[in-house]
Amino acid sequence: MRPISLLFAVPACLSLAACATRLCGTGEPGQPVHINVTYAADHTPRVEPETCRVRSGVEVTWRGPLADSTAFALEFPQGSPGTVTEGTPGRGYRSARSPVTVEAGEGSPRKVTIRVENKGNESIDHKYNVTANGHVLDPHIIIDR
C-alpha cells in the first residue's frame, strides 16, 4: 500500500471503530435485547455484543448458554443501570451510585434481565463486569435517553 493510501485508510478504520457501538435490537421499549454470555476454552466469560447501545426503558437480558449451569454475575461499579426484573440483586442494589451486583437466576439458560433507565439528557456509558468461573470480563452498555 502506498503511503498516501495509508493516510486515508487509518482515519476510516478509526471512524468505523466508533460505529461499533450501534443500537442493539430494535431499541424500542417493549422489544427484547439479548446479550449472550459464553465461555472460552479457559472458562473466561465472553459477551456478544461486547458493546451495546440501547434506549432508556428497554429490557436487556444477559443469557448464558443453553444446557449450561455455569453461574455468572454482573457487577456495575457506577451503580444500577435500572430495575432488575430477572436475577438476584445482591450487594449494593439499593444505592444509585455504589457498586451493584446481580446474580443470574437458576435454570437453563441462566439469565439476568434489567429494564435500563436514563433520566438525564446525556447518554450513560455503564461499564460492567461479568464474573464466572473465577474470571472477570469488563464490557459496557451505553444507555441513551
Side-chain angles (χ1 to χ4, degrees):
M1 188 179 279
R2 296 187 328 188
I4 193 78
S5 300
L6 286 174
L7 288 174
F8 295 107
V10 171
C13 291
L14 292 174
S15 66
L16 287 175
C19 295
T21 60
R22 69 187 186 286
L23 200 61
C24 297
T26 64
E28 296 300 320
Q31 298 299 312
V33 170
H34 295 101
I35 296 176
N36 295 310
V37 179
T38 59
Y39 307 101
D42 68 354
H43 306 289
T44 302
R46 303 274 185 243
V47 294
E48 179 62 38
E50 190 167 321
T51 300
C52 186
R53 179 181 291 273
V54 295
R55 293 193 177 113
S56 185
V58 169
E59 281 201 347
V60 179
T61 299
W62 286 260
R63 58 185 179 189
L66 284 173
D68 186 327
S69 61
T70 303
F72 70 88
L74 305 179
E75 181 184 26
F76 296 90
Q78 301 168 327
S80 177
T83 303
V84 176
T85 59
E86 186 172 3
T88 304
R91 169 175 57 84
Y93 181 68
R94 301 239 183 255
S95 174
R97 300 216 186 266
S98 66
V100 171
T101 301
V102 182
E103 295 178 12
E106 296 290 325
S108 181
R110 288 187 176 252
K111 297 179 188 177
V112 169
T113 302
I114 299 175
R115 184 177 314 106
V116 297
E117 299 161 3
N118 179 357
K119 296 178 181 161
N121 292 325
E122 302 291 323
S123 295
I124 301 170
D125 186 349
H126 269 284
K127 294 183 183 209
Y128 65 96
N129 297 321
V130 179
T131 304
N133 301 312
H135 298 277
V136 178
L137 175 70
D138 60 345
H140 57 118
I141 186 166
I142 301 167
I143 305 169
D144 294 332
R145 175 134 168 79

